[in-house]
């Protein structure tokens, strides 16, 4: 399977989402791109349809924009 | 691994996202809940932190709210 690409910008929300995505999809199936560390990848992401981060570009070319919601533990914590 | 739960409401965007999520995470690892067909699951989802659909509740209790962005093919088509 072609890899997915997870685009993020290093915010805490992105890091949480990254952790979950890696666990769900499998680390070997996802390339992680940090825009803060690698601005040269931004045009490619925009071309693919990324409008916000974190976002997951799937192998078939769809973009899932992810908003990480607080868990109940976070709400309570 | 405990299953993830994918909550949706049958909109075209949800169905596209569902297809991608199932492909990425694996059909056996996700329970699909359609609120239109199963309103009784709404309170449980709200309790878990679901604020919009489609959303993926991960095995560790985090909620990923997913906004499916149009692919370039959609934009061009």
């Amino acid at each position: 399977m072609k890899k997915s690409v997870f685009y993020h910008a290093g915010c805490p929300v992105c890091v949480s989402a990254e952790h979950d995505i890696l666990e769900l999809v499998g680390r070997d199936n996802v390339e992680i791109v940090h825009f803060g560390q690698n601005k040269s990848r931004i045009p490619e992401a925009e071309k693919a349809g990324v409008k916000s981060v974190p976002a997951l570009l799937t192998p078939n070319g769809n973009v899932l924009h992810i908003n990480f919601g607080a868990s109940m533990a976070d709400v309570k914590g």
Side-chain angles (χ1 to χ4, degrees), chain A residues 2-77:
Chain A
K2 212 179 136 197
K3 280 194 181 194
S4 298
V5 185
F6 182 76
Y7 295 103
H8 75 108
C11 56
V13 163
C14 293
V15 172
S16 282
E18 176 182 332
H19 181 85
D20 285 333
I21 292 288
L22 285 180
E23 201 157 301
L24 289 170
V25 180
R27 189 168 294 265
D28 294 344
N29 300 322
V30 189
E31 181 191 2
I32 307 288
V33 174
H34 185 322
F35 287 141
Q37 293 166 359
N38 201 343
K39 287 199 197 309
S40 66
R41 300 287 297 271
I42 293 178
E44 154 211 308
E46 284 183 332
K47 205 172 157 193
V50 173
K51 307 256 182 264
S52 61
V53 286
L56 187 72
L57 175 63
T58 69
N60 58 13
N62 290 327
V63 178
L64 302 173
H65 293 96
I66 299 163
N67 299 312
F68 178 76
S71 69
M72 288 310 279
D74 291 336
V75 173
K76 288 175 187 167

